[in-house]
Amino acid sequence: SKGKSAAGLGIDEEIEVTRKPRAPRVKLDEHRLLSKNGIPKLRKKAKNLKFKGKGHEYSDASRLLAFYQLWLDDLFPKARFLDALAMVEKMGHKKMMQSARMEWINEGKPHSGVH
Amino acid sequence: ADGKRDVVDPEVRAYVSSLVTALGGSGADEDGRYVLGDDALACLRDLKKWLKLYDEKANRLDVARCLAESNLVGGDLLQILAAWPENATDDRLKSKIALACLELLVPLTWPLDKNSKEMTVNHHRHVPYLEIAQLGYKRSIINFDGARILHTAIRCALPSMAVDMGDRSTRDEGIIKLLLYFIRNIAMIAPPPNVQYEGDEAEISRSATIDAFDYQDVFHLLLTVSSTIGEDYNTQDVVVLDILFHLIKGVDIEKLFLDEKAADNSKMDELVRLRKKEAAMLRSYQTNAPTRHNRFGAMAWLQREDAKMTTISGQAAVTDSSRGLAKMDATKKFKPPRRALKGDNGPMDFDTPVHLSVQATKHLRAFVEEFLDSGFNPLFNHIRKAIDREAERVLEYHPRQFFYLISWFLEAERVRRRNKNPSKVQKSAVSEEVDSYSLVASVLNQEMFVTLNRAMDYTFEHKSWQDLSAAMKCFTQILLTVHDMSESPLEDDQEIAENILNRIFYEETTHDRVANITRTYKDQGFGYLDSCTELSHHYLRILEQYSKQNVDLQVRSRRRVRRKKKAARASGQDEADDDIVDESEGEDTTRAERTSHERKFEFKRFAARFLSQGCVDTFVTFAAYYNDLKSSQLKRAHRFFYRVAFKQEMSVMLFRVDIIALFYKMVKGPEGLDPQSSSYKEWDEFVKQILKKCTRKIQERPELVVEMLFSKINSTAHYLEYGYEKQTVTTK
């Protein structure tokens, strides 16, 4: 039978069409947000954030916005600032994010003896 | 129609065109006059039969198409109607023929329903053609040179209208209805959205319609029917509602009530204002525009951490880092999927503004004033009853028109009053002549509130947003009217207003509903957004004023009640259970103090419902349209944010990066508010305060840096704002 198929010039053989799977789309999900480059980095960098205070409200705000924009550009370069913000906000409703947020807030709270 | 591959069955076409030909025509022998065919009446009846038995029964529209192609309306029907002179009203045959014409005109101008599920291939084939044809019908009907066609149509129905309601035959009722539907159709026909009308738009515009209605006495007809509804007319109410709706939807009331001179001035002002706005836009562009030619090729890089660089082309980046960042952002291509806004563009849409010519403005204003004086109460009272009892003639879209029209006319009444006595200083002097609000009283009674509340509940639950939007507009205008009433010099008005406000103030279900609607906005379109923010703004504002009503005012109102009761007692109508009569002045004061204290507390509790993230988001979405908002709308958003941040001390709710970015952009641009506009200053002041608070808060509580990204739940917000957990006392 092997000879026969050879005589048929391999026409009968099934050719398997393999398409290269499309590269998975990069998503701004909670895992990315909680990764090293995500919110942990934001918290670390925030310590260097300095404001000038009274009389410099707008320049302070512009610095603050730039701070977030650059962080988001590193984390998820393809989306525009406001779009990325909306995505992050949406992620905030996920269980995992909620508990992480709770933890970060509790860290900041003054320690009381009762727990 | 070239004989080959016709869209209509050739046999049908042949029959119909032979009928049209036999109807009559004009020839050189008669100096171009139109001459009726020998059997014109029979032809007209046959055509009607064709429309009814072929088109309607088989659901096809073929005959309508043939008639449109053969120019029956412009070429025959209007000519025949025009040839019915005023003094020949008694001519039986002629009036019969005129009526037969009207009977054909109504189905031909009937609105084409495009959304129903019963649309067949034939509909898809004919509807676009017929839509354009109807525009042609309207044009030739309202602009007909030889005669007043609409007026002639009214004459057809006059004999039936002259009969007492009880004595009218079904045929009489039918004729009256036919006439009203004809007028409704004419008012309703407008170029469909997305279709470019090739003729002169001015000939079929709203202005042209209004002018024609004025000239051809249609307004008189409408006033007659609406002011005597319930006596001489009964079931015609919903058609009149329909006509009024298509006549006034989208008309700007403020502009309507400017007098002619002021209108001229305001046109100039408008031009000046627009030029200024344009200049401001250009200025803001020019400050950011490149100063050299576009191939100058500057390239800057932004030093990032970890020795990373970002390159940005163009001069902008060299001079200003924030503009560099903006440029970096603008070059990104990715766009997340977005849902389209669900507005309504069909004939029932009332959010699209309409411009009227000076002439039409004058005519419409005269009509509106007369309608308010005579037709408002009877018509709307009658329709409210029909809606409440779910009468068969009330169709699904009628409540929407009903509420929208009430809101529109109430606002018109308020504007009219304001214009009548512009100086409030003199009001004590002329208090004798002040009109009471009885002209609009029919929509301020308890039954109306019941209907309105039910409608708001129902539409909210069934997600029919445009209907809800109309109901909200209605509620807003009722509130504003009641508020104006409470400041009226007439004691009766004050008392009624106070009763209504008192009821609303303690109605928890209404509070919940308003807050819920505001909280749940999600891509319902700008018109809806405008209505719901307007409602919550005025609702909060009016109830706040009511809660602040000083002790003095309450004492006065109690005194008034006492006086009334005394008078009643004197006239012999004794009531045993009046607890007020025997109190002294001192007791009045303590009582009033207690109530005002209670009310303040109540209001605080109520206003707290608007502190949720949902409500804030709704107003943020609204404020994001800042460049297209009027100053009153900007004020609305400003007051809300101000209330959240400072009056109720929950500025944390506004500390989210996108909100801060929006506020920053509104003031500092690019494409920010015009610094010369009146709104700019208060926004500048407010945003500055918010930013100051925000940066201070971040230093105070570093956790906020993360929370700035997210919506906060109430407990978190409370902690961030005050630094301690909210005491949650559970008493229930």
Side-chain angles (χ1 to χ4, degrees), chain A residues 8-109:
Chain A
L9 298 171
I11 289 172
D12 299 335
E13 276 174 42
E14 257 183 58
I15 302 168
E16 222 171 279
V17 183
T18 50
R19 197 187 277 166
K20 221 178 173 184
R22 188 202 273 261
R25 211 175 269 171
V26 185
K27 272 195 207 145
L28 185 55
D29 54 10
E30 62 260 53
H31 300 291
R32 185 169 278 260
L33 262 183
L34 289 172
S35 69
K36 194 172 91 281
N37 266 338
I39 286 175
K41 184 167 151 196
L42 184 79
R43 299 181 72 210
K44 204 163 70 206
K45 279 177 60 175
K47 296 197 174 89
N48 305 326
L49 205 56
K50 289 281 178 295
F51 298 114
K52 284 192 186 159
K54 198 171 153 50
H56 299 275
E57 288 84 4
Y58 288 107
S59 61
D60 279 349
S62 140
R63 202 166 314 125
L64 182 68
L65 292 172
F67 163 74
Y68 281 106
Q69 191 181 341
L70 289 174
W71 167 72
L72 272 175
D73 187 59
D74 279 338
L75 182 67
F76 193 64
K78 77 174 178 182
R80 294 186 180 188
F81 182 38
L82 288 179
D83 294 337
L85 278 177
M87 293 178 197
V88 172
E89 200 281 325
K90 220 167 161 188
M91 283 302 123
H93 299 283
K94 291 267 160 98
K95 251 248 151 82
M96 209 161 132
M97 285 304 302
Q98 295 252 350
S99 57
R101 280 166 68 188
M102 226 38 223
E103 247 171 65
W104 291 320
I105 285 182
N106 286 334
E107 270 177 43
K109 276 185 190 168

Side-chain angles (χ1 to χ4, degrees), chain B residues 531-572:
Chain B
S531 319
C532 80
T533 50
E534 191 184 18
L535 173 60
S536 48
H537 170 71
H538 290 299
Y539 196 63
L540 274 163
R541 195 175 61 91
I542 286 169
L543 290 194
E544 182 173 38
Q545 275 181 19
Y546 181 75
S547 76
K548 276 187 186 156
Q549 208 182 49
N550 49 35
V551 175
D552 190 42
L553 211 69
Q554 286 179 45
V555 173
R556 216 182 308 159
S557 107
R558 298 181 80 80
R559 216 179 281 160
R560 194 170 60 223
V561 175
R562 179 142 19 107
R563 201 166 54 230
K564 278 236 164 111
K565 294 228 166 173
K566 250 185 196 152
R569 186 175 286 187
S571 66

Side-chain angles (χ1 to χ4, degrees), chain B residues 313-365:
Chain B
S313 65
Q315 305 173 33
V318 185
T319 49
D320 184 345
S321 71
S322 72
R323 269 162 58 204
L325 284 177
K327 174 89 199 236
M328 182 181 107
D329 209 39
T331 47
K332 295 183 177 180
K333 295 278 191 314
F334 170 77
K335 278 205 178 117
R338 220 171 252 137
R339 235 186 275 167
L341 293 180
K342 296 176 224 144
D344 185 348
N345 297 318
M348 290 302 152
D349 159 53
F350 48 75
D351 291 319
T352 316
V354 186
H355 281 281
L356 294 183
S357 68
V358 178
Q359 197 67 16
T361 305
K362 215 173 88 192
H363 291 149
L364 186 62
R365 182 176 57 221

Side-chain angles (χ1 to χ4, degrees), chain B residues 414-451:
Chain B
R414 282 180 38 243
V415 175
R416 177 165 79 147
R417 279 171 170 272
R418 206 190 313 142
N419 289 358
K420 225 190 271 174
N421 40 342
S423 51
K424 282 197 167 176
V425 193
Q426 304 170 343
K427 78 176 172 191
S428 55
V430 291
S431 62
E432 295 294 313
E433 302 154 42
V434 190
D435 314 327
S436 77
Y437 280 81
S438 57
L439 283 180
V440 292
S442 66
V443 295
L444 301 176
N445 53 22
Q446 188 57 26
E447 289 92 335
M448 181 64 201
F449 277 100
V450 173
T451 311

Side-chain angles (χ1 to χ4, degrees), chain B residues 70-99:
Chain B
S70 61
N71 188 28
L72 170 80
V73 173
D76 297 286
L77 298 184
L78 297 188
Q79 307 287 346
I80 298 172
L81 281 173
W84 187 35
E86 296 260 359
N87 51 18
T89 305
D90 295 332
D91 190 331
R92 292 266 301 166
L93 179 69
K94 282 206 165 160
S95 65
K96 256 187 190 165
I97 288 182
L99 189 61

